[in-house]
Amino acid sequence: MEKQSRLLCSELCVQRRLYEVTLNCAILAWKDIQIAKKHTGRAIYGAVKAGSSCVPVCEIIAVQEKDDDTPCKNTGKWQKVPQSPADPCQHAFTVFYVERTRQHCWWCSNVTFHCSDHSLCLLWVQTIREQLALLNSERRVNYYHTFANRPKSLLVYINPYGGKQRGKQIYDHKVAPIFSRASISTDVIVTERANHARDHLKTEADLKKYDGVVCVGGDGMFSEIMHGLVSRTQQEAGVDENSMEETLMPCGLRIGIIPAGSTDCICYATVGSNDPVTSALHIIVGDSQAMDICSVHNEDRFLRYSVSLLGYGFYGDVLTDSERKRWMGPARYDISGVKTFLSHRYYEGTVSFLPAEGNLGSPRDKMQCRTGCSVCRQSSSDKLVSKNEDSVSDAECQDTWTVIRGKFLAINAASMSCACPRSPKGLSPSAHLADGTTDLILVRKCSRLDFLRHLLRHTNKDDQFDHSFVEVYRVKQFRFSPRYQECDSEVDLRESGVTGKRFLSQICREHRACGCMPSQSNWNCDGEILPHTAIQVRVHCQLIKLFARGIEEQQVFEDPYAHCAI
Ligand SMILES: Nc1ncnc2c1ncn2[C@@H]1O[C@H](COP(=O)(O)OP(=O)(O)OP(=O)(O)O)[C@@H](O)[C@H]1O
Ligand SMILES: CCCCCCCCCCCCC/C=C/[C@@H](O)[C@H](CO)NC(=O)CCCCC
Ligand SMILES: [Ca+2]
């Protein structure tokens, strides 16, 4: 039984919102503050049901002693602490804590305690602070997560350009005040160009100073920071990113995402919402959620990493068309989505893949990856075993690759559900964040009407895999090679060093000239376009960690700690 440290005190009265309650006793338990409260029966406010509410210490953001007229920071106004006539309480302290609201959102709530005896008030504040400090030292295995290590110093990159171009305002008005309340020190860098954050992380940043890196932006910005961190970790560990076979070194620093982009699917799938304050609170309480990363190579040359979607065909064409519409912000995807849907292009090629071993579930098992996911936990223990044995798993040596040739409207690899506001259950609703696999979804050539039905099922409860022209496999590796190699105009363009977006626009001109259907789409890699279409992909299990805990099971909305004894 854990040591109980109990702090009994009586006659504490709580000023909370519109009504006053008198604490007949408040017990500070090891993990929970149990505020047993009974209404003072003030007729003026009407009877309020007596009940108990608890705040787990691991979800307390801060405690602040309150002089009579200290400014109440979160409203920015001076706030006279009203003296309740009944009790001449001179001293007070405020506890700021996480309060859950709808759809996995959190917000920073607070309660102020008044106390007649100053030393008792100080004892409360000091004890709570000691409990908070303890969180960082002990290893705790409990329902939520195996290790809470609260960050004290963070490196923050803000993308002023992504999404609705409000990254800076979102950070300054919604996130910075909570970070300072939690006494977190931050170094903030507003990026001046694309890949500024990646380059800075890769070369200049002194990472020993920080407990984590925060990305204020969308998936593309997260991708930059993830690339910077992973490449730097491999560089420092002497791992060559160009060789596909090498086992990559996991990154120590956690990444936090303050959503300020257009899709924000990585934040949405790891926290359950794209609300900046919710993400900030998950960072403060020191959550930790491991995540798989796919490495993408073309003929032994490293191209990019992917954590959410690798999409060829539909999603690749949507992205290619939307790049020229960035000025439209998030709406660009809808316009390009409709345009791409109407063009209804299919692509020929060969997909080969290495299926995942049996115990990792299947993309159609209706099991969703949630906080404390058993499949992901199983993978991390398997990973430890395989690392010790250092064996290439038997499937890989038996080379049981499956090969599929055909005409495809879309080839998508979802390493996570890719849940996002556009598609609340995501491209692959049963994909796991940290199971070492990716769900390979093949949408074969079909009619526009059938494809529309398939797309619409991403936005409702129907099973988007329940079509004759859709196949989905859980894989550890896969390869794709287009049937028609790039035609010579493409090859000599590439040889002349033209790549990226200029290459694509040149090609489109070429094709318009010859008037044939484009034989190739582009790979959409987490919202960035890859310069090659023939690729080899491998999943690296739990290579990075986020300040998140996965999506929590939806709580029934009553006092989630009603079980607390008083
Ligand atoms: N200061 C900057 N100027 C121009 N581009 C930038 C800057 N900082 C970052 N970028 C680039 O902007 C691109 C888009 O940023 P981000 O992903 O945050 O927004 P988004 O694409 O609208 O969101 P999502 O990826 O969620 O759809 C990223 O690829 C990033 O590399
Ligand atoms: C006519 C009805 C159509 C209904 C279509 C619903 C299907 C939506 C599925 C959304 C899947 C998002 C996958 C996320 C990919 C991100 O890594 C990437 C970068 O942020 N976003 C896009 O490529 C942007 C992709 C945007 C696709 C529309
Ligand atoms: Ca996965």
Side-chain angles (χ1 to χ4, degrees), residues 221-262:
M221 188 60 184
F222 171 82
S223 177
E224 260 199 58
I225 285 166
M226 177 260 287
H227 277 86
L229 214 48
V230 173
S231 297
R232 166 124 177 209
T233 308
Q234 306 323 310
Q235 193 181 347
E236 290 176 350
V239 174
D240 173 15
E241 290 179 295
N242 283 317
S243 88
M244 258 199 84
E245 284 64 42
E246 282 213 54
T247 305
L248 296 180
M249 177 65 72
C251 299
L253 277 187
R254 283 168 289 176
I255 304 175
I257 307 177
I258 302 295
S262 311

CSV table of all heavy atoms in Angstrom, one decimal, residues 221-262:
chain,number,residue,atom,x,y,z
A,221,MET,N,4.6,20.8,-40.7
A,221,MET,CA,5.6,21.4,-39.8
A,221,MET,C,6.1,20.3,-38.8
A,221,MET,O,7.3,20.2,-38.5
A,221,MET,CB,4.9,22.5,-39.0
A,221,MET,CG,5.8,23.3,-38.1
A,221,MET,SD,7.1,24.1,-39.1
A,221,MET,CE,8.0,24.8,-37.8
A,222,PHE,N,5.2,19.4,-38.4
A,222,PHE,CA,5.6,18.3,-37.5
A,222,PHE,C,6.6,17.4,-38.3
A,222,PHE,O,7.6,17.0,-37.7
A,222,PHE,CB,4.4,17.5,-37.2
A,222,PHE,CG,4.7,16.2,-36.5
A,222,PHE,CD1,5.0,16.2,-35.1
A,222,PHE,CD2,4.9,15.0,-37.2
A,222,PHE,CE1,5.4,15.0,-34.5
A,222,PHE,CE2,5.3,13.8,-36.5
A,222,PHE,CZ,5.6,13.9,-35.2
A,223,SER,N,6.3,17.2,-39.6
A,223,SER,CA,7.2,16.4,-40.4
A,223,SER,C,8.6,17.0,-40.4
A,223,SER,O,9.6,16.3,-40.3
A,223,SER,CB,6.6,16.3,-41.8
A,223,SER,OG,7.5,15.5,-42.6
A,224,GLU,N,8.7,18.3,-40.5
A,224,GLU,CA,10.0,19.0,-40.6
A,224,GLU,C,10.7,18.7,-39.2
A,224,GLU,O,11.9,18.3,-39.2
A,224,GLU,CB,9.8,20.5,-40.6
A,224,GLU,CG,9.9,21.1,-42.0
A,224,GLU,CD,10.2,22.6,-41.8
A,224,GLU,OE1,11.1,23.0,-41.1
A,224,GLU,OE2,9.4,23.3,-42.4
A,225,ILE,N,10.0,18.9,-38.1
A,225,ILE,CA,10.7,18.7,-36.8
A,225,ILE,C,11.1,17.3,-36.6
A,225,ILE,O,12.1,16.9,-36.1
A,225,ILE,CB,9.8,19.3,-35.7
A,225,ILE,CG1,9.8,20.8,-35.8
A,225,ILE,CG2,10.1,18.8,-34.3
A,225,ILE,CD1,8.8,21.5,-35.1
A,226,MET,N,10.2,16.4,-37.0
A,226,MET,CA,10.5,14.9,-36.9
A,226,MET,C,11.7,14.5,-37.7
A,226,MET,O,12.6,13.9,-37.2
A,226,MET,CB,9.2,14.1,-37.3
A,226,MET,CG,9.3,12.7,-37.3
A,226,MET,SD,9.7,12.0,-38.9
A,226,MET,CE,8.1,12.3,-39.7
A,227,HIS,N,11.8,15.1,-38.9
A,227,HIS,CA,13.0,14.8,-39.8
A,227,HIS,C,14.2,15.3,-39.1
A,227,HIS,O,15.2,14.7,-39.0
A,227,HIS,CB,12.8,15.4,-41.2
A,227,HIS,CG,12.0,14.6,-42.1
A,227,HIS,ND1,10.6,14.6,-42.1
A,227,HIS,CD2,12.3,13.6,-43.0
A,227,HIS,CE1,10.2,13.7,-43.0
A,227,HIS,NE2,11.2,13.1,-43.5
A,228,GLY,N,14.1,16.6,-38.6
A,228,GLY,CA,15.3,17.2,-38.0
A,228,GLY,C,15.8,16.3,-36.8
A,228,GLY,O,17.0,16.0,-36.7
A,229,LEU,N,14.9,15.9,-36.0
A,229,LEU,CA,15.2,15.2,-34.8
A,229,LEU,C,15.7,13.8,-35.1
A,229,LEU,O,16.8,13.3,-34.6
A,229,LEU,CB,14.0,15.1,-33.9
A,229,LEU,CG,14.1,15.1,-32.4
A,229,LEU,CD1,15.1,16.2,-31.9
A,229,LEU,CD2,12.8,15.2,-31.7
A,230,VAL,N,15.0,13.1,-36.0
A,230,VAL,CA,15.4,11.7,-36.3
A,230,VAL,C,16.8,11.7,-37.1
A,230,VAL,O,17.7,10.9,-36.7
A,230,VAL,CB,14.4,11.0,-37.2
A,230,VAL,CG1,14.8,9.6,-37.7
A,230,VAL,CG2,13.1,10.8,-36.4
A,231,SER,N,17.0,12.6,-38.0
A,231,SER,CA,18.3,12.6,-38.7
A,231,SER,C,19.4,13.0,-37.8
A,231,SER,O,20.5,12.3,-37.8
A,231,SER,CB,18.2,13.7,-39.9
A,231,SER,OG,17.2,13.3,-40.8
A,232,ARG,N,19.2,13.9,-36.9
A,232,ARG,CA,20.2,14.3,-35.9
A,232,ARG,C,20.6,13.1,-35.0
A,232,ARG,O,21.7,12.8,-34.8
A,232,ARG,CB,19.7,15.4,-35.1
A,232,ARG,CG,20.6,15.7,-33.9
A,232,ARG,CD,21.0,17.1,-33.9
A,232,ARG,NE,21.8,17.4,-32.6
A,232,ARG,CZ,21.8,18.7,-32.1
A,232,ARG,NH1,21.1,19.6,-32.7
A,232,ARG,NH2,22.5,18.9,-31.1
A,233,THR,N,19.5,12.3,-34.6
A,233,THR,CA,19.8,11.2,-33.7
A,233,THR,C,20.6,10.1,-34.5
A,233,THR,O,21.5,9.5,-33.9
A,233,THR,CB,18.4,10.6,-33.2
A,233,THR,OG1,17.6,11.7,-32.7
A,233,THR,CG2,18.6,9.5,-32.2
A,234,GLN,N,20.2,9.9,-35.7
A,234,GLN,CA,21.0,8.9,-36.5
A,234,GLN,C,22.4,9.3,-36.7
A,234,GLN,O,23.4,8.6,-36.5
A,234,GLN,CB,20.3,8.6,-37.8
A,234,GLN,CG,18.8,8.2,-37.8
A,234,GLN,CD,18.5,7.4,-36.6
A,234,GLN,OE1,19.1,6.3,-36.4
A,234,GLN,NE2,17.5,7.8,-35.9
A,235,GLN,N,22.6,10.6,-37.0
A,235,GLN,CA,23.9,11.2,-37.3
A,235,GLN,C,24.8,11.0,-36.0
A,235,GLN,O,25.9,10.4,-36.1
A,235,GLN,CB,23.7,12.6,-37.6
A,235,GLN,CG,24.8,13.4,-38.1
A,235,GLN,CD,24.4,14.9,-38.3
A,235,GLN,OE1,23.2,15.2,-38.3
A,235,GLN,NE2,25.3,15.7,-38.6
A,236,GLU,N,24.2,11.3,-34.8
A,236,GLU,CA,25.0,11.2,-33.6
A,236,GLU,C,25.2,9.8,-33.2
A,236,GLU,O,26.2,9.5,-32.5
A,236,GLU,CB,24.2,12.0,-32.5
A,236,GLU,CG,24.3,13.5,-32.7
A,236,GLU,CD,23.5,14.3,-31.6
A,236,GLU,OE1,22.8,13.6,-30.9
A,236,GLU,OE2,23.6,15.5,-31.6
A,237,ALA,N,24.4,8.9,-33.7
A,237,ALA,CA,24.6,7.4,-33.4
A,237,ALA,C,25.3,6.7,-34.5
A,237,ALA,O,25.5,5.5,-34.4
A,237,ALA,CB,23.2,6.8,-33.2
A,238,GLY,N,25.7,7.5,-35.5
A,238,GLY,CA,26.5,6.9,-36.6
A,238,GLY,C,25.7,5.9,-37.4
A,238,GLY,O,26.3,4.9,-38.0
A,239,VAL,N,24.4,6.1,-37.5
A,239,VAL,CA,23.6,5.2,-38.4
A,239,VAL,C,23.4,5.9,-39.7
A,239,VAL,O,23.1,7.1,-39.8
A,239,VAL,CB,22.2,5.0,-37.7
A,239,VAL,CG1,21.3,4.2,-38.6
A,239,VAL,CG2,22.3,4.3,-36.4
A,240,ASP,N,23.6,5.1,-40.8
A,240,ASP,CA,23.5,5.6,-42.2
A,240,ASP,C,22.1,5.5,-42.6
A,240,ASP,O,21.5,4.4,-42.8
A,240,ASP,CB,24.4,4.8,-43.1
A,240,ASP,CG,24.2,5.3,-44.6
A,240,ASP,OD1,23.6,6.4,-44.8
A,240,ASP,OD2,24.6,4.5,-45.5
A,241,GLU,N,21.4,6.7,-42.8
A,241,GLU,CA,20.0,6.7,-43.2
A,241,GLU,C,19.8,6.1,-44.6
A,241,GLU,O,18.7,5.7,-44.9
A,241,GLU,CB,19.4,8.1,-43.1
A,241,GLU,CG,19.3,8.7,-41.7
A,241,GLU,CD,18.8,10.1,-41.7
A,241,GLU,OE1,19.5,11.0,-42.2
A,241,GLU,OE2,17.7,10.3,-41.2
A,242,ASN,N,20.8,6.1,-45.4
A,242,ASN,CA,20.6,5.6,-46.8
A,242,ASN,C,20.5,4.1,-46.8
A,242,ASN,O,20.0,3.6,-47.8
A,242,ASN,CB,21.8,6.0,-47.7
A,242,ASN,CG,21.6,7.5,-48.0
A,242,ASN,OD1,20.5,7.9,-48.3
A,242,ASN,ND2,22.6,8.3,-47.9
A,243,SER,N,20.9,3.4,-45.8
A,243,SER,CA,20.8,1.9,-45.9
A,243,SER,C,19.5,1.5,-45.2
A,243,SER,O,19.2,1.8,-44.1
A,243,SER,CB,22.0,1.2,-45.2
A,243,SER,OG,21.6,1.0,-43.8
A,244,MET,N,18.6,0.8,-46.0
A,244,MET,CA,17.3,0.4,-45.5
A,244,MET,C,17.4,-0.7,-44.4
A,244,MET,O,16.5,-0.7,-43.6
A,244,MET,CB,16.5,-0.2,-46.7
A,244,MET,CG,15.5,0.8,-47.3
A,244,MET,SD,14.3,-0.1,-48.2
A,244,MET,CE,13.2,-0.6,-46.9
A,245,GLU,N,18.4,-1.4,-44.4
A,245,GLU,CA,18.5,-2.6,-43.5
A,245,GLU,C,18.8,-2.1,-42.0
A,245,GLU,O,18.4,-2.7,-41.1
A,245,GLU,CB,19.5,-3.6,-43.9
A,245,GLU,CG,19.0,-4.5,-45.1
A,245,GLU,CD,18.8,-3.6,-46.4
A,245,GLU,OE1,19.7,-2.7,-46.6
A,245,GLU,OE2,17.8,-3.8,-47.0
A,246,GLU,N,19.5,-1.0,-41.9
A,246,GLU,CA,20.0,-0.6,-40.6
A,246,GLU,C,18.8,-0.3,-39.6
A,246,GLU,O,17.8,0.3,-40.1
A,246,GLU,CB,20.9,0.6,-40.7
A,246,GLU,CG,22.3,0.2,-41.2
A,246,GLU,CD,23.4,1.2,-40.5
A,246,GLU,OE1,23.4,1.2,-39.3
A,246,GLU,OE2,24.1,1.8,-41.3
A,247,THR,N,19.0,-0.7,-38.4
A,247,THR,CA,17.9,-0.4,-37.4
A,247,THR,C,18.2,1.0,-36.9
A,247,THR,O,19.3,1.3,-36.5
A,247,THR,CB,18.1,-1.4,-36.2
A,247,THR,OG1,18.0,-2.7,-36.7
A,247,THR,CG2,17.0,-1.2,-35.2
A,248,LEU,N,17.2,1.9,-37.0
A,248,LEU,CA,17.3,3.3,-36.6
A,248,LEU,C,17.3,3.4,-35.1
A,248,LEU,O,16.7,2.6,-34.4
A,248,LEU,CB,16.2,4.1,-37.2
A,248,LEU,CG,16.2,4.1,-38.8
A,248,LEU,CD1,15.0,5.0,-39.3
A,248,LEU,CD2,17.5,4.6,-39.3
A,249,MET,N,18.0,4.4,-34.6
A,249,MET,CA,18.1,4.7,-33.2
A,249,MET,C,16.9,5.6,-32.7
A,249,MET,O,16.6,6.6,-33.4
A,249,MET,CB,19.4,5.5,-33.0
A,249,MET,CG,19.6,6.0,-31.5
A,249,MET,SD,19.9,4.6,-30.4
A,249,MET,CE,21.5,4.1,-30.9
A,250,PRO,N,16.2,5.1,-31.7
A,250,PRO,CA,15.0,5.9,-31.3
A,250,PRO,C,15.5,7.3,-30.7
A,250,PRO,O,16.6,7.4,-30.2
A,250,PRO,CB,14.4,5.1,-30.1
A,250,PRO,CG,15.0,3.7,-30.3
A,250,PRO,CD,16.3,3.9,-31.0
A,251,CYS,N,14.5,8.3,-30.8
A,251,CYS,CA,14.9,9.6,-30.4
A,251,CYS,C,14.5,9.8,-28.9
A,251,CYS,O,13.4,9.3,-28.5
A,251,CYS,CB,14.1,10.7,-31.2
A,251,CYS,SG,14.5,10.6,-32.9
A,252,GLY,N,15.3,10.4,-28.1
A,252,GLY,CA,15.0,10.6,-26.7
A,252,GLY,C,14.0,11.7,-26.5
A,252,GLY,O,13.1,11.6,-25.7
A,253,LEU,N,14.2,12.9,-27.1
A,253,LEU,CA,13.3,14.0,-26.8
A,253,LEU,C,11.9,13.8,-27.3
A,253,LEU,O,11.7,13.3,-28.5
A,253,LEU,CB,13.9,15.3,-27.6
A,253,LEU,CG,15.0,16.0,-26.8
A,253,LEU,CD1,15.3,17.3,-27.6
A,253,LEU,CD2,14.6,16.4,-25.4
A,254,ARG,N,10.9,14.2,-26.5
A,254,ARG,CA,9.5,14.1,-27.0
A,254,ARG,C,9.2,15.3,-27.8
A,254,ARG,O,9.7,16.4,-27.6
A,254,ARG,CB,8.6,14.0,-25.8
A,254,ARG,CG,8.6,12.6,-25.1
A,254,ARG,CD,7.9,12.7,-23.8
A,254,ARG,NE,8.7,13.4,-22.8
A,254,ARG,CZ,8.3,13.6,-21.5
A,254,ARG,NH1,7.1,13.3,-21.2
A,254,ARG,NH2,9.1,14.3,-20.7
A,255,ILE,N,8.2,15.1,-28.7
A,255,ILE,CA,7.7,16.2,-29.6
A,255,ILE,C,6.3,16.5,-29.2
A,255,ILE,O,5.4,15.6,-29.1
A,255,ILE,CB,7.7,15.9,-31.1
A,255,ILE,CG1,9.1,15.4,-31.5
A,255,ILE,CG2,7.3,17.1,-31.9
A,255,ILE,CD1,9.2,14.9,-32.9
A,256,GLY,N,6.0,17.8,-28.9
A,256,GLY,CA,4.6,18.2,-28.7
A,256,GLY,C,4.0,19.0,-29.9
A,256,GLY,O,4.8,19.7,-30.6
A,257,ILE,N,2.7,18.8,-30.2
A,257,ILE,CA,2.2,19.5,-31.3
A,257,ILE,C,1.1,20.4,-30.9
A,257,ILE,O,0.1,20.0,-30.2
A,257,ILE,CB,1.5,18.5,-32.3
A,257,ILE,CG1,2.5,17.3,-32.7
A,257,ILE,CG2,1.0,19.2,-33.6
A,257,ILE,CD1,1.9,16.3,-33.6
A,258,ILE,N,1.3,21.7,-31.2
A,258,ILE,CA,0.2,22.7,-31.0
A,258,ILE,C,-0.4,22.9,-32.3
A,258,ILE,O,0.2,23.4,-33.2
A,258,ILE,CB,0.7,24.0,-30.4
A,258,ILE,CG1,1.5,23.8,-29.1
A,258,ILE,CG2,-0.4,25.0,-30.3
A,258,ILE,CD1,0.7,23.4,-28.0
A,259,PRO,N,-1.6,22.3,-32.6
A,259,PRO,CA,-2.2,22.3,-33.9
A,259,PRO,C,-2.5,23.7,-34.5
A,259,PRO,O,-3.2,24.4,-33.8
A,259,PRO,CB,-3.5,21.5,-33.7
A,259,PRO,CG,-3.8,21.5,-32.3
A,259,PRO,CD,-2.5,21.7,-31.6
A,260,ALA,N,-2.0,24.0,-35.6
A,260,ALA,CA,-2.2,25.3,-36.3
A,260,ALA,C,-2.1,25.1,-37.8
A,260,ALA,O,-1.5,25.9,-38.5
A,260,ALA,CB,-1.2,26.3,-35.8
A,261,GLY,N,-2.6,23.9,-38.3
A,261,GLY,CA,-2.4,23.6,-39.7
A,261,GLY,C,-3.7,23.4,-40.4
A,261,GLY,O,-4.8,23.9,-39.9
A,262,SER,N,-3.7,22.7,-41.5
A,262,SER,CA,-5.0,22.5,-42.2
A,262,SER,C,-5.6,21.1,-42.0
A,262,SER,O,-6.8,21.0,-41.8
A,262,SER,CB,-4.7,22.6,-43.7
A,262,SER,OG,-4.0,23.7,-44.0
